[in-house]
Amino acid sequence: MTTKKIAFVTDSTVFLTEQLRSHPDVYIVPMVVISDGIEYDDANLTSDKLYDIIRSEKEIPKTSQPNSNKFHEQYEQLKENYDQAIAIHVSSELSGTLSSSDAGKNQANFSVEIIDSLSLSYGITDLLTEGLALAEKGVEVPVIASRLRERAAHGRNLILLGSLEQLYKGGRMSGAQFLLGNLLKIKPILSITSTGKLELKERIRSEKKAINRLIALIKESNQVKNVKEVGIMHGNALEKARDLSDRINKEIPNLTTVIGEISSSLAVHAGEGTVAVFWNEGK
């Protein structure tokens, strides 16, 4: 058992529950959103402002990971009050944030266990919550890190894009694909795999069928693994998220659902109207 004080560091792709937001040992290093030459800290860019930018600009905003200097500064500050830290970051397959964090800890010469969440948003929330609970029990940092890495491998998620327009404007879809997808009302479901890579899982006709598919896949997972909680994250689509939560609570009554909004840096890529579900199949 340990009495050393532990800081928990993450990036702004995380969804912060009220408990995490007010926790004195949780620190956020923000991503950067760039639009028309102006840089915004992800943590300070409101949803309303972001979606106004997305709707009005021909080109979608770009995002940038925090550089190593940002993490160096954060770890230097933490050294004054903490003995060590655990950093949990967005999947290294999706962003270079983890590498920046690792470089920053080396510059600061501070003891930090860096965890690849193999996910983002509520996938990080789940690991952060678990890590804090273990720390409160006095579990040693290397043991916490080992358990979190194991838990990260059991994270599951499904991402239902709200609109194909974001992919088109971002150059990830041709004009012909965009037109055909809209004509056929195709709703892509994406998923971040157990190795942290983003992949197309299914293409489904109509949003109604896509929502039904999300629920069916959660049911399948719950029947095998007895899932306890599902995080429902949305891109400026609160009513859609609430409707999904109501359906999950009705059809899978043993599940707890948590609703939250995806961060600005994620909304830039996923787009308005996106709904994503996150859960963990670990014990």
Side-chain angles (χ1 to χ4, degrees), residues 218-236:
I218 296 170
K219 273 186 176 179
E220 289 176 13
S221 180
N222 182 59
Q223 288 169 357
V224 175
K225 296 293 184 178
N226 190 27
V227 177
K228 296 178 181 178
E229 182 176 273
V230 174
I232 303 173
M233 303 290 105
H234 67 90
N236 202 30

Side-chain angles (χ1 to χ4, degrees), residues 57-74:
E57 298 291 335
K58 290 183 179 179
E59 293 185 2
I60 63 171
K62 295 178 173 59
T63 58
S64 176
Q65 70 204 41
N67 60 40
S68 62
N69 289 335
K70 292 288 186 182
F71 283 104
H72 178 205
E73 292 171 6
Q74 180 68 83

